[in-house]
Amino acid sequence: MQDSPRGSASAKLAEFLAQANQNIALAREQNIQFTPALLRENLNKLAAFMTCKPDVSYIADRAWQLGDRAIPARVYSPDPHSALPVVVHFHGGGHMCGSVELYDPICRQLASTAHCVVISVEYRLAPEHPYPAGLEDCEHALRHYAEVLEDVAFITGPCIMGDSAGGAICTSLSERSLAEPSLAIRKQILIYPSVDYTMTSASYESNGAGFLLETPRVKWYFEQYFQYTALDAEKVRAASPLHGRIEAGLPETLIFTAGCDPLRDEGRAYAEALQRVGVKVEHHGLEDMIHAYMLLHDLVAEECLSTYQRIARFIHAP
C-alpha cells in the first residue's frame, strides 16, 4: 500500500469541522446509531451553506415513465432557445442520501457558469432500493435524456457528472458503455468520486476521521447499498469501477479529488489508471478541501467557483 499522508484542511473550514467533530463525538458518546433518516437529515442540513442560487431562465420538473413508476428529474437551461451541451447530473450521498432539491443550487450554478443544459436525476435510494436499482434508473435517464428536453434546445451527445456516489454511477455507466456503444457518453465529470467499494485505499486510514466524512459512515453506506455479507466481497469488488474494465474506449474524463478525503486515493488511482490506457484525463487535486466541499459553497466559494469554471471549459472544449 502506498504512503498516504493525512490531509491538512483549509482554515476556511476550521470552525465548521470543529463543530462537526464535536457532534460526531457526542453521537458516539451517546451511542446514537446510524439510520437512513438521521443521515439524510444531516446531509440536508448542508443546504444552509448553499445560499448562492443563481437565477436560471428555464427550470422545469420532468419525469420518465417506466411501467407503473416514474423517475423524476429537474431540467435547467440558461437559454432554452439556443442549442447547448447537455450534462446529465447524478447527485452524491452514499447511494442513500441526497436529492434533486438539495443539489438545486449546484445545478443552478452549473447551468449558469457552464452555459449548459443540466438534467438532475432523482434516482432510487438504498436501503429501500438497494444496488443496482439507482444505477438502473440513471442508465434509463441517460439513454432517454432527450425525452425530458421537449421544450429545450440542446446539442446531441450528453456529458455525465456526479460527486461521490454520483461519481460511482458515472464511472459504472462509462464502464457499461464499453460493451454497449449505444450508451453514448461524450465526457464524464467526477467530483471526489467513489470508485472502489472495497475501501482498501490507504486514505481511508489517513483521512478516515476528522474531515466530516468518516470511514465507519462510508462502510455503513455501502452495507445499506449492497446489503452484503462477508461472502459477497467479490461481488462488491466486481461492482467497483476501479477494479472493472479500464480501457481506451472510456470517455474523456475531468476529475477532482480533495486532499482531506477518505476517498482521495481511489480517485487518484482511477485517474492514473485511465491515463495508463490512453484515456484523456484532466485531474485537479484540491489538497486543503474535504469531501463534499461543493455542498459548502458559502465557506469555500473561491474553490467552488474555480471548480465550476474548470467544468465549463471541459464541457465546451472540442
Side-chain angles (χ1 to χ4, degrees), residues 57-87:
S57 64
Y58 177 98
I59 300 177
D61 288 326
R62 296 283 182 258
W64 297 271
Q65 201 61 38
L66 200 60
D68 60 353
R69 68 182 183 87
I71 304 172
R74 187 169 294 171
V75 178
Y76 305 77
S77 178
D79 185 356
H81 304 298
S82 298
L84 301 176
V86 175
V87 176

Side-chain angles (χ1 to χ4, degrees), residues 1-313:
M1 192 175 284
Q2 288 183 333
D3 179 49
S4 181
R6 180 172 172 81
S8 179
S10 168
K12 299 175 186 178
L13 295 166
E15 186 178 341
F16 170 80
L17 286 175
Q19 184 64 58
N21 290 332
Q22 186 178 327
N23 292 342
I24 290 168
L26 187 61
R28 195 172 291 131
E29 199 176 289
Q30 296 177 351
N31 198 30
I32 295 172
Q33 301 299 305
F34 293 139
T35 66
L38 177 63
L39 292 188
R40 287 167 182 165
E41 180 187 349
N42 285 345
L43 186 65
N44 286 340
K45 287 177 180 175
L46 298 186
F49 298 97
M50 294 186 287
T51 59
C52 180
K53 300 178 183 178
D55 288 333
V56 178
S57 64
Y58 177 98
I59 300 177
D61 288 326
R62 296 283 182 258
W64 297 271
Q65 201 61 38
L66 200 60
D68 60 353
R69 68 182 183 87
I71 304 172
R74 187 169 294 171
V75 178
Y76 305 77
S77 178
D79 185 356
H81 304 298
S82 298
L84 301 176
V86 175
V87 176
V88 184
H89 179 270
F90 310 120
H91 67 76
H95 297 291
M96 57 169 298
C97 305
S99 64
V100 163
E101 190 58 41
L102 177 63
Y103 277 72
D104 179 73
I106 285 176
C107 290
R108 286 170 177 264
Q109 193 75 55
L110 178 64
S112 177
T113 305
H115 202 62
C116 64
V117 177
V118 178
I119 304 171
S120 184
V121 181
E122 194 82 88
Y123 58 88
R124 288 174 292 173
L125 298 174
E128 297 88 348
H129 304 284
Y131 174 85
L135 182 59
E136 288 172 349
D137 286 355
C138 293
E139 180 173 345
H140 185 86
L142 178 58
R143 287 187 182 278
H144 302 278
Y145 75 94
E147 292 177 11
V148 296
L149 298 180
E150 62 267 25
D151 301 330
V152 176
F154 63 94
I155 297 169
T156 303
C159 301
I160 57 176
M161 172 175 162
D163 67 306
S164 196
I169 290 168
C170 287
T171 51
S172 297
L173 293 176
S174 291
E175 183 180 350
R176 287 187 180 186
S177 74
L178 292 171
E180 301 177 47
S182 61
L183 198 61
I185 300 168
R186 190 167 75 88
K187 298 180 178 183
Q188 64 174 347
I189 301 153
L190 313 172
I191 303 179
Y192 33 79
S194 167
V195 291
D196 185 4
Y197 296 115
T198 70
M199 297 181 64
T200 51
S201 294
S203 53
Y204 276 104
E205 183 69 31
S206 58
N207 287 336
F211 293 134
L212 185 64
L213 181 65
E214 302 206 331
T215 296
R217 179 147 57 101
V218 180
K219 183 174 183 290
W220 196 81
Y221 280 145
F222 293 168
E223 287 169 352
Q224 308 312 301
Y225 185 45
F226 290 107
Q227 301 189 357
Y228 58 60
T229 67
L231 297 175
D232 297 317
E234 193 48 49
K235 291 181 183 176
V236 171
R237 182 181 173 85
S240 301
L242 185 60
H243 301 296
R245 290 177 63 187
I246 296 183
E247 300 175 8
L250 288 169
E252 183 179 348
T253 300
L254 173 64
I255 182 167
F256 298 88
T257 55
C260 305
D261 182 359
L263 276 59
R264 177 192 64 197
D265 290 359
E266 67 195 68
R268 290 176 177 175
Y270 185 75
E272 290 164 3
L274 292 181
Q275 287 171 333
R276 281 196 297 272
V277 297
V279 175
K280 192 173 179 184
V281 182
E282 183 182 335
H283 173 218
H284 299 282
L286 286 83
E287 296 311 317
D288 61 354
M289 289 293 101
I290 63 172
H291 194 85
Y293 74 85
M294 294 292 282
L295 298 174
L296 302 171
H297 185 283
D298 293 359
L299 301 181
V300 289
E302 184 183 348
E303 290 81 0
C304 289
L305 291 172
S306 172
T307 300
Y308 289 118
Q309 288 161 358
R310 291 184 190 280
I311 291 170
R313 288 194 289 272

